[in-house]
Structures are given as structure tokens and as C-alpha cells.
Amino acid sequence: MRNTLLSDVLWNITHPFWRIKDAVHDYKLRHLKLGKVKQHKKGSYTDFEIVNISWNVHWMTDLYLAVIIRDYLRFFIKNTPAIGNTVFEGDYSKMQDLTDEETAMYSKKWHDLVNNTADEFDELAKLAWRENVDDWQAYRKKEKELIKKAFADLAYIFDELNW
């Protein structure tokens, strides 16, 4: 009885401390630092690295990369008026003297291509954290197929993601 009383007293004393500590830990996990761009050479746009990445990012890198790619693709297509040459499928002569209707068609095709790729990475992000899966083998197979497709589609448009 004495141990129970002592443990109850200790629990009542330390419980608020642990609740605060858990709340701070959860807050930090929801506000991770994904890093900061550090330039190596002044005036160089290509010589840089990402520094100050939160230590906790490493245990969910697949999720963070999927979300970063998805969100950057969506930001890019929302803010870039250019049409990627990829939609002309190698026949770049089509780029000359486009009518307004053709410009709208190719623009829509480009937007759809980028947004569909972003959708695939969104699906990957959703698949990255599954706890209750009945058939892990089927789940992993589906995940691997989606990874191949998403990165193949990203490779297809990758060289056009600049403006």
C-alpha cells in the first residue's frame, strides 16, 4: 500500500511536467526546420547546399521529399506562365506562330502534366505513413509501382521546371 501511495504522489507531482514536455516535443515535430540555402560562392546560383536541417527529418525523409516535390510542382505551375517544351513532344516547330486556341490547349496540357505529377507525389505522401495495413506485400507492391511512375513522370518534365 505504501508503494502505491508513493507512486501516486510522484505521479501527481511529475505528471504536469511530462505533459508539458510531451507538448513541446509534439510542437517541435510539427515545426521542423527543413533547412536553409547556404551559398558557397557569391553570385553563383548553382553552388549551394541545404544546411540546418532538423535532426528529426531523417526518420520521415520519404514523406518530406514527396511533400516538397508535390508542393514545389504546384507552386511552379501556379506561378509560371511559360509552357514546357515537353508538350510539343519533340516537334518544336509547333511552337512558332501558335493561335490563341493552340496556346490555350498546350498550356492546359502542360498544367495537367505538372499537376498530375504533383498528384502522384501527393498519393506517395499519403502512402508514406500507413500503420494498419492488412496485406503488407500488396501495399508495398502498390507503393513501389507508384514510386516508379511518379519519378518517371517527374523525369519526363524535369528539364522544363525552370523559367
Side-chain angles (χ1 to χ4, degrees), residues 132-142:
N132 299 327
V133 176
D134 294 330
D135 185 359
W136 276 101
Q137 190 171 1
Y139 168 78
R140 293 295 292 165
K141 183 179 179 186
K142 177 183 176 186

Side-chain angles (χ1 to χ4, degrees), residues 61-157:
T61 301
D62 58 344
L63 173 63
Y64 284 104
L65 286 176
V67 169
I68 289 167
I69 292 169
R70 175 202 67 197
D71 292 349
Y72 273 61
L73 287 173
R74 295 211 194 284
F75 177 84
F76 172 83
I77 202 63
K78 181 180 176 188
N79 293 290
T80 307
I83 299 171
N85 295 335
T86 307
V87 297
F88 298 105
E89 299 170 352
D91 187 1
Y92 301 119
S93 64
K94 294 178 185 176
M95 295 169 49
Q96 306 299 324
D97 302 319
L98 292 174
T99 65
D100 289 342
E101 294 82 26
E102 290 172 324
T103 301
M105 179 198 64
Y106 284 117
S107 179
K108 180 176 177 3
K109 188 174 180 181
W110 175 240
H111 276 77
D112 290 346
L113 213 66
V114 174
N115 280 320
N116 289 340
T117 304
D119 290 343
E120 291 169 355
F121 280 95
D122 187 39
E123 188 64 29
L124 275 179
K126 290 174 184 173
L127 286 177
W129 196 260
R130 296 280 189 223
E131 293 179 6
N132 299 327
V133 176
D134 294 330
D135 185 359
W136 276 101
Q137 190 171 1
Y139 168 78
R140 293 295 292 165
K141 183 179 179 186
K142 177 183 176 186
E143 184 182 42
K144 291 293 183 189
E145 289 171 1
L146 184 57
I147 289 168
K148 284 181 181 180
K149 181 163 178 16
F151 278 97
D153 290 347
L154 180 61
Y156 183 66
I157 64 170

